[in-house]
C-alpha cells in the first residue's frame, strides 16, 4: 500500500488522516518530528527455554494445538512449540480469521510477556504474525497516537514523512561544540536513529532523553523557540506606538502625592521601567509580576496617569467582574479627584448604562476604561487608546490579548502619525496612510500583570519577547501568614478558632474546591459547608458565594463582605484573584489537596493584607480511598514551608510542567515537545546565545529553522 502524501490537496480526509491532522501531523516534517514514545524489540527470536518469567520476548514456532475452550470464559488456547519448549497463547477475544491464522501446523511469530505459571509457559493476547520474512534490524517504534489512528497506519505515515521531509541542517556544526554535540548527530541522523534505533542502544538513554540524538532535537527545538521570540521582538520594534511623556497636567505626580502611602522601592523601580517604555514610540510589551499583595494596582494607576496626562486613553481589563469592579472603585478613588473621567464596562451591565459608557469612550471623554472581557468587544470604539493593561494576564488567552492590542487602529490615530514617524530612531515600515488597512502598524503599549510569577527559565524562553518588571518586596507592615495543615477530622477545632477571630472583629474566608466536572457537586459542597458554619456560628453573618450565582448577587455578597457587614464568606474559587479585604485575617481552604500550588498561594494571598496577624488553614482529607497522593502532599508541604511566590512557582513548574504558566490550555498549543525547561537549562542558555547571532548572520537559515519546527504555530507563539 502506498501512503498518500500528508500534505496532499483537497480530497476529503479519511478517518485516520483526520486523526493525523488533529495531532498536528500535517506536513512531512511534522510527521518526521513525531517521535516514538517507546520501542519494542522485534529484532530477535528468543528460544522458549531461555525466556525468563516476566520478560517480553518474541518467539517463533509451530502451532501444535489450537482449541476454543468453552467452559468458564470462552477463550482460544494455542500451543506453540519452538523445539526447545512449548508455550500456551491465550486469547479471550478473537476473530475467526485469527483462529484460522493460528491453525495447527502453521509457523508463527508471537510477541508478548512470558509468564512461568503453574500450567507451563503462557502468553496472554500476544501480538502475532505468520513467520517468514526477515527480522527487522532496528527496534520497532511505538508512537503516541489517538483514537481512530492505528499504530501501523501512523508508523507508515511517519516513515513516509521521514523519507520525504527536507532535513538539511540549519545549525552550523561549529555552533554545536559548545553543547558537546558531535556534528555527526545532525538532524537527519538523529531523526532516523530515533525512529529506528539499533537494537544495542541503551534504552535508558532513549527513555530519559540523554542520548545525543535526543540532545540534538531538544537543542533544535529550543533554538526554534528562541528564534521565533526574537523575530517577534524585532518585528515589534518596527511597530509604532504613541510616545507618552508626562504632560502638563502632572497627573502622575499628583497621584503619588495623593496616595495614603509611599511607594516601596520595588514599586518605584518598576514605575521607572514602565515610564521609560511609555516614553518610547514603540509599543511596550511588559510583564509586571509581583506576589499577591505586592501592590501592582497602584503601579497600573500611575502608568494610566502618565497616559491620560499625555492626552490618550488607557484601558484596564480584569478577568472577573468582581475584580474589575474592585479595581474600578480603587482607581476612581485615586484618579477622579485628579479630574480624570473613568468609564466602566462589563457583560452584566444594563443597556442604557452601557450605551452611555460607550459614548464616553468613543468621544475620548473617558480617559480610563476599566472592565472585563467586555472591553474588547467590537462595539467598543476608543478615540485614542494608547495603553492597555491586563490584570492577571494568565487568565486571558492569546486571542484576547491580540484583540486588545488591535483596539488602537490607524484610523483613530492617523492625525498623530506624522509626529510618530518623525521621531528619531524609529524605522519607517511603510505609511499607514497608504490605506493598506494594516492595524498592526500602530499598537497601544501593553502592560500585563500577574501574581503567578514566572520562573526564570520560563521567562528566558517563552517570554524572551517580553520585558519583565518584578516587584520583589511587599509593602511594609504586613505580618506573614502562618500556614497550618489540618486534617479534616479536626474541623471543629478550626471552627473554634474562627470564633476567636470573630471576637476580635476579624473576617474569615472559607474556600471550597471547584470540582471541574460538576458544578452541581461544587455547589453542594459549598452550600453544605455554608449551612454547617451558619449553624455552628449562631448570630454571625455567614455569606455564600459560588460560581453559579448571578453576577448581581455575587456583587451584593461581596459588597457586604468588603464593607465588613458580613463576617464569614464561604466561597468557591471566585475569590481567587485579586480581592482586597484587609480586615480578613483567616483563610480556611477545604480539600486543599485538590488545589494547584499557585492557586493555593493566590488564595492565601487574600489574607495578611492588613496589620493583623493572619493565618491560612489547609484542611486536607485523607478519608477512605482518598489517601493523599504524593504530588498533593508535596504541594501542601511547599505551602507550609514557603511564602515566596517565586519559590512556589519554581516548585509548581517541577510538579506540573510549564503548560499551565503559559496559558497553553487556553491556546490549545502544546509548546515544547522535547525539551524540558526544568532540566535542559544548558541547552536553553545555548539557544538563547545563538539565536541573535543566527538571525543576524544567517537569516535565511534562521527562518527555515523556525518554519521547520513551528510551522503555522510560529505566528501564534509571537502573539
Ligand atoms: P496585588 O499586587 O496583589 O494586585 P494590590 O495592588 O491589590 O496587590 O495591593 C494590595 C494592598 O496593598 C492594597 O490595599 C494596596 O492599596 C496596598 N498597597 C499597595 N502599595 C502599597 C505601599 N507601598 N504601602 C502600603 N500599602 C500599599
Ligand atoms: Mg491585583
Amino acid at each position: 500500500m502506498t501512503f498518500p502524501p500528508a500534505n496532499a490537496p483537497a480530497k476529503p480526509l479519511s478517518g485516520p488522516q483526520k486523526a493525523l491532522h488533529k495531532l498536528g501531523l500535517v506536513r512531512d516534517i511534522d510527521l518526521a518530528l513525531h517521535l516514538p514514545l517507546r520501542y519494542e524489540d522485534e529484532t530477535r527470536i528468543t528460544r522458549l527455554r531461555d525466556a525468563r518469567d516476566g520478560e517480553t520476548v518474541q518467539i517463533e514456532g509451530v502451532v501444535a494445538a489450537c482449541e476454543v475452550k468453552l467452559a468458564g470464559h470462552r477463550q482460544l488456547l494455542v500451543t506453540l512449540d519452538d523445539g526447545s519448549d512449548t508455550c500456551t497463547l491465550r486469547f479471550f477475544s478473537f476473530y475467526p480469521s485469527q483462529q484460522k491464522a493460528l491453525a495447527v501446523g502453521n509457523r508463527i511469530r508471537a510477541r508478548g510477556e512470558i509468564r512461568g505459571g503453574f500450567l507451563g509457559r503462557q502468553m496472554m493476547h500476544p501480538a502475532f504474525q505468520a513467520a517468514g520474512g526477515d527480522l527487522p534490524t532496528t527496534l520497532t517504534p511505538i508512537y503516541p497516537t489517538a483514537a481512530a489512528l492505528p499504530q501501523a497506519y501512523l508508523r507508515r505515515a511517519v516513515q513516509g514523512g521521514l523519507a520525504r521531509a527536507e532535513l538539511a541542517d540549519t545549525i552550523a556544526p561549529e555552533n554545536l561544540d559548545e553543547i558537546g554535540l558531535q556534528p555527526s548527530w545532525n538532524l537527519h541522523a538523529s531523526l532516523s536513529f530515533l525512529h529506528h534505533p539499533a537494537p544495542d542502544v541503551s534504552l535508558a538513554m532513549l527513555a530519559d532523553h540523554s542520548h545525543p540524538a535526543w540532545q540534538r532535537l531538544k537543542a533544535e527545538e529550543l533554538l526554534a523557540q528562541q528564534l521565533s521570540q526574537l523575530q517577534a521582538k524585532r518585528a515589534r520594534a518596527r511597530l509604532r506606538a504613541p510616545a507618552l511623556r508626562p504632560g502638563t497636567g502632572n497627573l502622575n505626580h499628583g497621584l503619588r502625592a495623593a496616595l495614603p502611602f509611599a511607594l516601596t522601592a520595588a514599586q518605584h523601580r518598576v514605575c521607572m521601567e514602565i515610564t521609560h517604555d511609555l516614553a518610547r514610540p514603540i509599543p511596550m510589551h511588559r510583564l509586571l509580576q509581583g506576589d499577591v499583595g505586592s501592590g501592582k494596582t497602584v503601579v497600573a494607576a500611575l502608568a494610566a496617569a502618565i497616559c491620560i496626562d499625555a492626552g490618550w486613553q488607557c484601558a484596564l481589563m480584569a478577568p472577573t467582574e468582581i475584580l474589575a469592579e474592585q479595581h474600578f472603585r480603587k482607581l476612581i478613588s485615586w484618579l477622579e479627584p485628579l479630574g480624570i473621567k473613568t468609564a466602566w464596562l462589563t457583560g452584566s451591565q444594563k443597556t442604557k448604562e452601557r450605551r452611555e459608557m460607550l459614548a464616553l469612550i468613543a468621544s475620548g471623554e473617558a480617559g480610563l476604561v476599566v472592565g472585563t472581557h467586555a472591553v474588547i468587544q467590537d462595539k467598543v470604539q476608543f478615540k485614542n487608546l494608547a495603553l492597555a493593561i491586563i490584570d492577571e494576564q494568565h487568565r486571558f488567552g492569546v486571542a484576547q490579548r491580540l484583540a486588545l492590542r488591535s483596539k488602537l487602529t490607524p484610523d483613530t490615530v492617523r492625525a498623530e502619525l506624522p509626529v510618530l514617524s518623525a521621531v528619531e530612531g524609529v524605522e519607517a515600515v511603510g505609511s499607514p496612510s497608504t490605506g493598506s488597512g494594516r492595524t498592526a502598524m500602530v499598537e497601544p503599549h501593553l502592560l500585563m500583570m500577574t501574581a503567578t510569577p514566572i520562573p526564570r527559565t520560563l521567562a528566558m524562553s517563552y517570554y524572551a519577547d517580553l520585558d519583565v518588571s518584578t516587584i520583589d518586596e511587599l509593602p511594609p507592615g504586613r505580618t506573614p501568614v502562618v500556614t497550618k495543615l489540618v486534617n479534616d477530622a479536626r474541623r471543629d477545632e478550626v471552627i473554634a478558632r474562627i470564633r476567636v477571630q470573630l471576637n476580635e472583629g476579624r473576617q474569615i474566608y472559607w474556600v471550597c474546591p471547584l470540582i471541574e466536572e460538576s458544578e452541581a457537586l461544587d455547589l453542594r459542597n459549598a452550600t453544605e459547608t455554608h449551612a454547617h458554619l451558619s449553624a455552628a456560628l449562631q448570630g454571625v453573618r455567614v455569606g455564600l458565594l459560588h460560581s453559579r450565582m448571578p453576577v448581581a448577587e455575587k456583587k451584593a455578597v461581596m459588597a457586604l463582605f468588603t464593607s465588613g457587614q458580613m463576617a464569614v464568606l464561604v466561597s468557591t474559587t471566585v475569590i481567587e484573584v485579586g480581592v482586597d479585604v484587609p480586615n480578613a485575617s483567616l483563610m480556611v481552604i477545604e480539600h486543599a489537596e485538590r488545589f494547584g500550588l499557585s492557586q493555593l498561594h493566590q488564595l492565601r494571598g487574600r489574607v495578611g493584607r492588613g496589620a493583623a496577624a493572619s493565618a491560612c488553614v489547609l484542611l486536607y482529607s485523607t478519608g477512605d480511598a482518598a489517601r493523599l497522593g504524593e504530588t498533593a502532599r508535596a504541594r501542601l508541604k511547599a505551602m507550609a514551608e514557603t511564602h515566596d511566590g517565586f519559590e512556589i512557582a519554581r516548585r509548581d513548574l517541577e510538579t506540573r510542567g510549564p503548560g499551565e504558566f503559559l496559558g497553553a490550555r487556553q491556546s490549545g498549543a502544546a509548546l515544547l515537545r522535547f525539551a524540558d525547561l526544568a532540566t535542559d537549562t544548558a541547552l536553553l542558555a545555548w539557544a538563547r546565545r545563538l539565536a541573535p547571532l543566527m538571525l543576524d548572520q544567517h537569516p535565511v537559515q534562521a527562518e527555515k529553522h523556525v518554519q521547520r519546527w513551528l510551522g503555522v504555530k510560529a505566528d501564534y507563539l509571537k502573539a
Side-chain angles (χ1 to χ4, degrees):
M1 163 185 167
T2 55
F3 185 79
N7 39 7
K11 259 192 277 163
L13 298 178
S14 68
Q17 279 173 324
K18 272 192 210 144
L20 280 181
H21 280 227
K22 257 197 176 153
L23 286 179
L25 305 178
V26 181
R27 306 168 304 164
D28 288 333
I29 184 68
D30 300 328
L31 288 161
L33 292 174
H34 191 65
L35 292 184
L37 269 182
R38 59 187 177 82
Y39 304 91
E40 282 176 359
D41 188 351
E42 294 176 338
T43 63
R44 282 176 298 159
I45 303 286
T46 304
R47 285 183 355 137
L48 275 170
R49 204 170 59 195
D50 302 331
R52 279 168 290 134
D53 186 20
E55 199 180 3
T56 297
V57 292
Q58 179 166 247
I59 55 177
E60 182 174 318
V62 176
V63 176
C66 176
E67 55 169 354
V68 176
K69 190 180 138 228
L70 291 168
H73 282 294
R74 191 177 116 90
Q75 50 185 287
L76 179 67
L77 295 175
V78 175
T79 308
L80 198 71
D81 186 343
D82 78 346
S84 75
D85 202 348
T86 61
C87 176
T88 305
L89 313 183
R90 210 179 265 274
F91 300 87
F92 290 101
S93 65
F94 50 92
Y95 297 110
S97 60
Q98 290 174 311
Q99 192 177 345
K100 214 171 125 202
L102 292 165
V104 173
N106 286 358
R107 190 165 182 85
I108 63 158
R109 258 175 221 161
R111 191 173 186 285
E113 188 183 325
I114 285 280
R115 292 242 169 256
F118 176 62
L119 299 167
R121 296 172 189 280
Q122 291 197 28
M123 266 188 195
M124 308 294 252
H125 278 275
F128 69 90
Q129 61 187 41
D134 296 335
L135 286 171
T137 54
T138 58
L139 299 182
T140 307
I142 308 294
Y143 294 104
T145 188
L149 186 56
Q151 192 60 231
Y153 185 96
L154 178 56
R155 207 174 278 160
R156 277 195 304 276
V158 169
Q159 188 52 36
L162 181 63
R164 286 186 304 267
E166 193 276 311
L167 295 173
D169 273 4
T170 42
I171 307 176
E174 62 270 22
N175 288 325
L176 295 165
D177 285 352
E178 222 183 303
I179 40 174
L181 265 177
Q182 297 293 326
S184 59
W185 285 109
N186 58 29
L187 182 61
H188 184 263
S190 297
L191 282 176
S192 306
F193 177 82
L194 290 176
H195 284 292
H196 301 288
D200 58 354
V201 70
S202 150
L203 285 176
M205 280 176 87
L206 288 184
D208 72 6
H209 298 185
S210 62
H211 190 280
W214 265 113
Q215 293 290 317
R216 169 70 190 226
L217 287 181
K218 293 198 284 191
E220 292 238 349
E221 181 181 42
L222 287 167
L223 181 61
Q225 207 79 40
Q226 290 296 317
L227 284 170
S228 83
Q229 288 285 316
L230 205 57
Q231 283 176 330
K233 187 167 192 155
R234 292 182 179 187
R236 192 182 312 281
R238 288 194 292 271
L239 295 177
R240 246 80 61 62
L244 305 173
R245 303 222 167 80
T248 47
N250 236 342
L251 286 178
N252 185 278
H253 285 108
L255 176 52
R256 278 178 201 232
L259 286 175
F261 47 75
L263 295 186
T264 61
Q267 281 171 320
H268 193 73
R269 189 186 63 241
V270 303
C271 280
M272 301 277 282
E273 289 162 358
I274 293 167
T275 307
H276 176 257
D277 280 4
L278 291 180
R280 299 190 332 146
I282 32 183
M284 169 169 78
H285 197 229
R286 188 170 281 279
L287 181 73
L288 171 59
Q289 54 176 8
D291 217 340
V292 272
S294 62
K296 294 183 288 295
T297 315
V298 67
V299 173
L302 286 163
I306 292 179
C307 169
I308 297 162
D309 209 9
W312 296 78
Q313 288 175 298
C314 171
L316 191 154
M317 183 160 80
T320 67
E321 187 143 349
I322 284 180
L323 193 54
E325 184 168 333
Q326 182 184 292
H327 277 316
F328 183 60
R329 290 189 191 295
K330 195 151 231 169
L331 292 168
I332 283 186
S333 74
W334 284 337
L335 297 175
E336 294 217 325
L338 302 173
I340 297 173
K341 189 131 187 89
T342 315
W344 150 250
L345 280 177
T346 67
S348 70
Q349 212 156 28
K350 297 244 161 52
T351 319
K352 180 164 168 287
E353 191 190 13
R354 159 166 306 218
R355 221 180 286 132
E356 286 167 14
M357 292 295 169
L358 289 177
L360 280 180
I361 298 166
S363 70
E365 202 180 325
L368 177 68
V369 181
V370 181
T372 57
H373 297 77
V375 172
I376 48 174
Q377 280 166 358
D378 287 343
K379 273 174 286 179
V380 186
Q381 291 285 338
F382 288 86
K383 174 158 176 275
N384 60 358
L385 178 68
L387 171 61
I389 305 175
I390 305 183
D391 195 18
E392 308 294 346
Q393 69 93 24
H394 59 284
R395 291 293 186 107
F396 292 96
V398 174
Q400 291 160 332
R401 244 176 292 165
L402 282 177
L404 193 51
R405 270 163 52 182
S406 70
K407 279 290 175 191
L408 177 58
T409 62
D411 272 354
T412 58
V413 292
R414 186 163 292 165
E416 336 284 324
L417 277 171
V419 182
L420 290 177
S421 49
V423 174
E424 223 182 302
V426 179
E427 203 180 315
V429 284
S431 159
S433 54
T434 55
S436 63
R438 289 285 312 272
T439 50
M441 309 289 278
V442 183
E443 286 192 355
H445 297 283
L446 185 60
L447 178 65
M448 294 166 267
M449 307 200 286
T450 182
T452 307
I454 294 158
R456 212 182 108 71
T457 42
L458 265 187
M460 267 173 75
S461 55
Y462 291 113
Y463 292 118
D465 173 34
L466 199 62
D467 297 307
V468 180
S469 287
T470 305
I471 306 184
D472 52 7
E473 71 182 311
L474 294 180
R478 301 273 168 84
T479 45
V481 180
V482 176
T483 303
K484 288 236 159 72
L485 304 185
V486 178
N487 193 314
D488 197 41
R490 288 166 51 203
R491 192 178 265 252
D492 288 345
E493 293 170 38
V494 175
I495 292 174
R497 186 160 176 171
I498 289 181
R499 284 203 197 90
V500 175
Q501 291 287 310
L502 291 175
N503 285 338
E504 290 175 12
R506 301 279 162 220
Q507 289 168 279
I508 283 102
Y509 290 106
W510 185 299
V511 177
C512 304
L514 205 70
I515 300 159
E516 275 188 17
E517 314 85 74
S518 161
E519 281 192 45
L521 260 182
D522 223 29
L523 190 57
R524 204 188 69 200
N525 196 333
T527 38
E528 273 173 9
T529 301
H530 177 248
H532 181 193
L533 282 178
S534 304
L537 301 167
Q538 291 290 332
V540 175
R541 191 158 189 179
V542 182
L544 175 63
L545 192 68
H546 61 77
S547 45
R548 276 203 182 173
M549 272 160 62
V551 174
E553 246 177 80
K554 280 188 197 169
K555 277 199 226 167
V557 171
M558 214 48 226
L560 285 174
F561 191 70
T562 311
S563 65
Q565 296 172 69
M566 178 183 284
V568 180
L569 179 61
V570 176
S571 161
T572 53
T573 48
V574 272
I575 60 158
E576 183 185 338
V577 282
V579 176
D580 187 25
V581 182
N583 189 46
S585 62
L586 178 61
M587 162 73 60
V588 182
I589 304 175
E590 188 167 326
H591 283 298
E593 76 278 1
R594 294 194 195 156
F595 289 87
L597 195 46
S598 61
Q599 248 182 333
L600 288 173
H601 182 63
Q602 286 264 346
L603 285 169
R604 178 169 61 184
R606 298 304 113 221
V607 293
R609 305 194 139 226
S614 297
C616 174
V617 172
L618 302 176
L619 279 180
Y620 63 92
S621 159
T622 53
D624 53 271
R627 291 274 298 283
L628 218 49
E630 201 164 309
T631 45
R633 196 185 297 273
R635 282 200 296 265
L636 296 182
K637 192 161 160 277
M639 282 294 291
E641 281 173 7
T642 177
H643 286 88
D644 178 354
F646 284 91
E647 174 61 16
I648 299 250
R650 197 189 59 73
R651 295 202 196 185
D652 214 16
L653 180 62
E654 263 172 25
T655 52
R656 275 196 314 182
E660 299 270 335
F661 289 96
L662 301 166
R665 271 197 317 196
Q666 292 112 302
S667 71
L671 298 176
L672 272 185
R673 285 180 288 170
F674 305 140
D676 178 346
L677 290 175
T679 53
D680 295 323
T681 45
L683 292 178
L684 175 60
W686 165 83
R688 195 172 155 79
R689 282 191 302 271
L690 182 55
L693 299 178
M694 191 162 165
L695 218 47
D696 290 337
Q697 292 161 15
H698 306 287
V700 177
Q701 293 294 70
E703 179 56 27
K704 184 171 156 191
H705 189 88
V706 170
Q707 283 307 319
R708 174 182 280 170
W709 274 90
L710 303 172
V712 284
K713 267 195 256 166
D715 295 329
Y716 207 75
L717 291 172
K718 288 170 194 167

